[in-house]
């Protein structure tokens, strides 16, 4: 995990600004994420970290600056945008599984409709993915019948089914009961060690410590620190990061 | 009350004609309303503006005025709405093909007016689907159309059925206006004919036509109640 692949970075944000009305939610943010790199984004709530994550597949449009993915600027809309999104997996805080479809159908919808895979092939691969995240026995159930941890693992399998070049995680464990956080982090850790490029917004400092290549600290829409986890947690350079860490690590 | 028995065939004929208007208008309004609803939730701002303007115009205008426009405006524009003389369908619904255009005019007015309400009922169903699911579908790379077809509409349908039913019931009752815009022989025109021209007492005739409308609306309402109960259990 320590030797991050070199070469052209996969995700590059350059001087990105975004406003929600008068609120400057992303303030001149520049960031690049290399292939195979795991970047964990932390910061107080309202610091813009979720928004940052959501701009990378353009679920949130930006007001100025540029974002490139795999060497191409993000398309504004239409088919090219859909094509880009199919290459970037996204996992949400609230799972967002399709409530009217079984777990397996959730996983195969994208491959069948977007990638035009044969249903039988998509199902076979979907089952293998469900097996990988440990819920193959839940394939024919509906999302509401699963626990939160199982639903989130299904959502990860759904994103992986598109064979994405990168995965975005927007607070994937924040809506889970404490005893289910571990099973989801385990899946994410195994993804990270398989070399998946990941941007993870989270409050799980343990995951940041052992799975991340870099930790990004955000506050008030600005990217305040960008350091390897060992360095960041031992010697945060900014006052705000020290303050933030003291609040979450003392309990 | 003898009029109900003596003139049963007149009532039955009126019932059949009103039923025809309602079936055709319901089909038309559901199709047009669905199109307007798709416009209103489309990601393209000009299309949204068209959908919103449509709803604003037809939801806020009295049906009587829409009927006036159809019955007097279309002829002024030189149209007899002949495009509604649809082959095969006009052999089942014979009034579609007659030379007197008022059945077609009334149908157009009823469809235009009701479609605005159908659109809003469908949209309330779409809004009942959590926004995160549409977001998840987008992030998988589904296009707007695929998102609607595979994720949003199958789920919004459940939440739309009951409000849609109310819209259709209102439409059945609104169809009574057609008799006053030149449509000869529907239920409301039948009342006018029997009491005005043939001198029957008003109350028995009114009871007769009320029964006609109730035969259409009450079972529809009961059906909606059942659907609603089944949904409540399934939840």
């Amino acid at each position: 995990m320590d030797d991050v692949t070199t070469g052209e970075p996969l995700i590059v944000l350059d001087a990105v600004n975004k406003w929600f009305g008068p609120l400057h939610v992303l303030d001149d943010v520049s960031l690049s994420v290399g292939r195979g790199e795991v970047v964990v984004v932390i910061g107080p709530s309202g610091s813009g970290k979720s928004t940052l994550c959501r701009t990378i597949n353009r679920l949130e449009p930006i007001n100025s600056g540029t974002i490139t993915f795999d060497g191409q600027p993000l398309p504004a809309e239409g088919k090219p945008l859909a094509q880009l999104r199919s290459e970037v997996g996204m996992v949400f805080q609230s799972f967002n599984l399709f409530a009217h479809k079984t777990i397996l159908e959730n996983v195969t919808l994208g491959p069948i409709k977007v990638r035009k895979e044969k249903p039988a092939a998509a199902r076979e691969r979907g089952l293998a993915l469900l097996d990988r995240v440990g819920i193959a026995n839940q394939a024919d159930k509906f999302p509401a019948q699963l626990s939160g941890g199982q639903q989130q693992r299904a959502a990860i399998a759904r994103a992986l089914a598109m064979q994405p070049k990168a995965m975005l995680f927007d607070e994937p464990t924040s809506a889970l009961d404490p005893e289910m956080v571990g099973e989801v982090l385990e899946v994410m850790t195994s993804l990270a060690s398989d070399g998946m490029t990941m941007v993870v917004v989270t409050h799980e400092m343990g995951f940041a410590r052992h799975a991340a290549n870099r930790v990004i600290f955000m506050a008030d829409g600005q990217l305040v620190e960008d350091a390897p986890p060992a360095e960041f947690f031992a010697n945060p350079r900014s006052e705000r990061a020290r303050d933030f860490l003291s609040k979450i690590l003392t309990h | 009350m003898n009029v109900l028995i003596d003139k049963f065939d007149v009532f039955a004929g009126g019932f059949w004609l009103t039923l025809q208007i309602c079936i055709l208008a319901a089909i038309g309004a559901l199709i047009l309303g669905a199109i307007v609803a798709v416009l209103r939730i489309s990601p393209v701002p000009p299309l949204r503006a068209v959908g919103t303007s449509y709803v604003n115009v037809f939801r806020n205008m009295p049906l009587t005025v829409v009927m006036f426009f159809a019955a007097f405006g279309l002829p002024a524009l030189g149209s007899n709405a002949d495009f509604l003389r649809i082959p095969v369908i006009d052999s089942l619904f014979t009034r579609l093909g007659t030379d007197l255009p008022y059945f077609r005019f009334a149908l157009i007015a009823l469809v235009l007016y009701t479609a605005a309400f159908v659109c809003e009922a469908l949209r309330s169903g779409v809004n009942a689907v959590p926004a995160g699911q549409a977001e998840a579908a987008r992030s998988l790379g589904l296009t707007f159309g695929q998102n609607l077809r595979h994720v949003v509409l199958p789920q919004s349908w459940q939440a739309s059925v009951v409000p849609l039913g109310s819209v259709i019931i209102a439409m059945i009752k609104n169809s009574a206006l057609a008799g006053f815009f030149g449509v000869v022989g529907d239920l409301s025109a039948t009342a006018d004919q029997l009491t005005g021209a043939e001198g029957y007492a008003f109350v028995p005739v009114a009871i007769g036509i009320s029964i006609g409308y109730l035969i259409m609306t009450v079972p529809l309402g009961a059906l909606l109640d059942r659907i609603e109960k089944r949904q409540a259990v399934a939840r």
Side-chain angles (χ1 to χ4, degrees):
Chain A
M1 224 182 312
D2 295 320
D3 52 6
V4 171
T5 24
T6 47
E8 188 192 339
L10 186 60
I11 305 167
V12 180
L13 285 78
D14 186 30
V16 169
N17 281 284
K18 179 173 176 69
W19 282 267
F20 283 133
L23 186 67
H24 201 172
V25 66
L26 290 179
D27 185 352
D28 219 24
V29 173
S30 296
L31 169 71
S32 80
V33 179
R35 289 163 205 277
E37 202 174 17
V38 177
V39 173
V40 166
V41 185
I42 64 174
S45 60
S47 59
K49 52 193 195 304
S50 275
T51 309
L52 175 76
C53 185
R54 291 162 56 86
T55 58
I56 297 173
N57 65 354
R58 216 170 193 280
L59 281 182
E60 298 285 356
I62 56 176
N63 296 109
S64 72
T66 56
I67 302 178
T68 55
F69 183 83
D70 205 9
Q72 302 293 320
L74 295 197
E77 56 189 29
K79 285 248 154 65
L81 178 59
Q83 162 72 23
L84 168 109
R85 283 173 172 156
S86 72
E87 293 178 351
V88 185
M90 175 119 193
V91 176
F92 300 86
Q93 178 174 353
S94 46
F95 328 136
N96 295 348
L97 292 173
F98 308 131
H100 63 306
K101 292 190 176 293
T102 66
I103 297 303
L104 185 58
E105 287 168 348
N106 266 274
V107 175
T108 56
L109 181 71
I112 294 172
K113 298 301 171 193
V114 178
R115 295 261 192 265
K116 314 291 180 199
E117 285 180 28
K118 293 219 160 60
R123 266 198 298 277
E124 195 177 322
R125 221 157 45 75
L127 277 171
L129 280 167
L130 289 177
D131 189 46
R132 176 175 177 186
V133 299
I135 50 170
N137 54 347
Q138 314 287 333
D140 296 322
K141 290 191 183 163
F142 286 91
Q145 296 170 288
L146 269 59
S147 72
Q150 290 172 325
Q151 287 191 52
Q152 193 60 300
R153 286 185 281 157
I156 294 173
R158 176 176 68 179
L160 288 176
M162 299 301 288
Q163 299 173 309
K165 292 178 180 160
M167 289 278 284
L168 310 173
F169 293 83
D170 185 8
E171 303 207 23
T173 57
S174 300
L176 294 176
D177 289 337
E179 78 269 24
M180 292 168 187
V181 170
E183 63 196 47
V184 171
L185 291 180
E186 222 168 89
V187 170
M188 290 168 58
T189 306
S190 104
L191 259 183
S193 54
D194 282 355
M196 175 61 81
T197 307
M198 294 165 61
V199 174
V200 185
V201 176
T202 188
H203 296 292
E204 296 298 328
M205 296 304 144
F207 179 80
R209 269 179 210 276
H210 73 253
N213 299 109
R214 278 157 64 203
V215 172
I216 304 286
F217 176 75
M218 286 189 71
D220 301 324
Q222 291 171 334
L223 201 155
V224 180
E225 284 198 43
D226 180 347
E231 191 183 317
F232 174 78
F233 286 109
N235 293 308
R237 274 164 299 174
S238 65
E239 180 59 37
R240 279 191 286 191
R242 273 196 295 276
D243 184 52
F244 177 72
L245 287 176
S246 73
K247 275 178 188 150
I248 54 166
L249 295 180
T250 47
H251 298 291
Chain B
M1 294 295 275
N2 280 343
V3 63
L4 293 183
I5 295 150
D6 297 345
K7 293 288 177 181
F8 178 79
D9 55 335
V10 178
F11 283 109
F15 175 81
W16 171 228
L17 189 63
T18 289
L19 187 63
Q20 285 186 44
I21 294 180
C22 291
I23 290 171
L24 290 170
I27 294 169
L30 286 171
I31 294 170
L32 183 60
I35 293 169
V36 178
V38 170
L39 291 179
R40 274 206 84 175
I41 58 176
S42 117
V44 186
L47 296 182
R48 274 208 302 275
V50 170
T52 307
S53 313
Y54 181 94
V55 171
N56 278 338
V57 168
F58 286 103
R59 190 170 61 169
N60 296 325
M61 197 154 60
L63 176 58
T64 318
V65 176
V66 183
M67 288 264 183
F68 265 115
F69 271 114
F72 298 104
L74 284 176
L77 292 171
S79 171
N80 269 346
D82 287 327
F83 64 90
L84 283 176
R85 297 181 169 197
I86 308 161
V88 184
I89 297 181
D90 68 357
S91 59
L92 188 62
F93 300 95
T94 46
R95 284 290 180 98
L96 275 180
T98 54
D99 286 335
L100 262 181
Y102 293 109
F103 181 88
R104 296 193 292 274
F105 289 161
L107 192 57
I108 287 172
L110 210 51
V111 166
L112 289 177
Y113 177 83
T114 309
F117 294 89
V118 167
C119 163
E120 293 304 275
L122 289 173
R123 222 165 51 86
S124 76
V126 167
N127 289 339
V129 179
Q133 292 198 28
E135 222 166 50
R138 268 190 283 155
S139 70
L140 283 177
L142 269 71
T143 60
F144 174 70
Q146 288 176 322
N147 197 342
L148 280 185
R149 211 165 85 227
H150 302 295
V151 177
V152 176
L153 290 184
Q155 297 186 76
S156 70
W157 178 240
Q158 276 203 336
S160 297
V161 164
V162 172
L164 265 185
S166 302
V167 167
I168 298 303
I169 288 176
M171 188 206 74
I172 292 171
K173 298 187 293 179
N174 287 336
S175 75
L177 263 183
F180 301 97
F181 286 87
V183 176
V184 178
D186 82 323
L187 268 176
S188 62
T190 298
D192 205 34
Q193 164 73 19
L194 289 176
T195 55
E198 301 185 27
Y200 285 98
F202 179 76
V203 170
V205 172
I207 290 173
I209 65 161
S210 301
I211 291 171
Y213 282 107
L214 291 175
I215 290 173
M216 285 180 264
T217 52
V218 170
L220 191 50
L223 179 70
L224 291 174
D225 282 347
R226 274 192 59 177
I227 292 172
E228 199 177 7
K229 283 207 185 86
R230 198 182 308 162
Q231 282 182 1
V233 172
R235 236 172 241 145

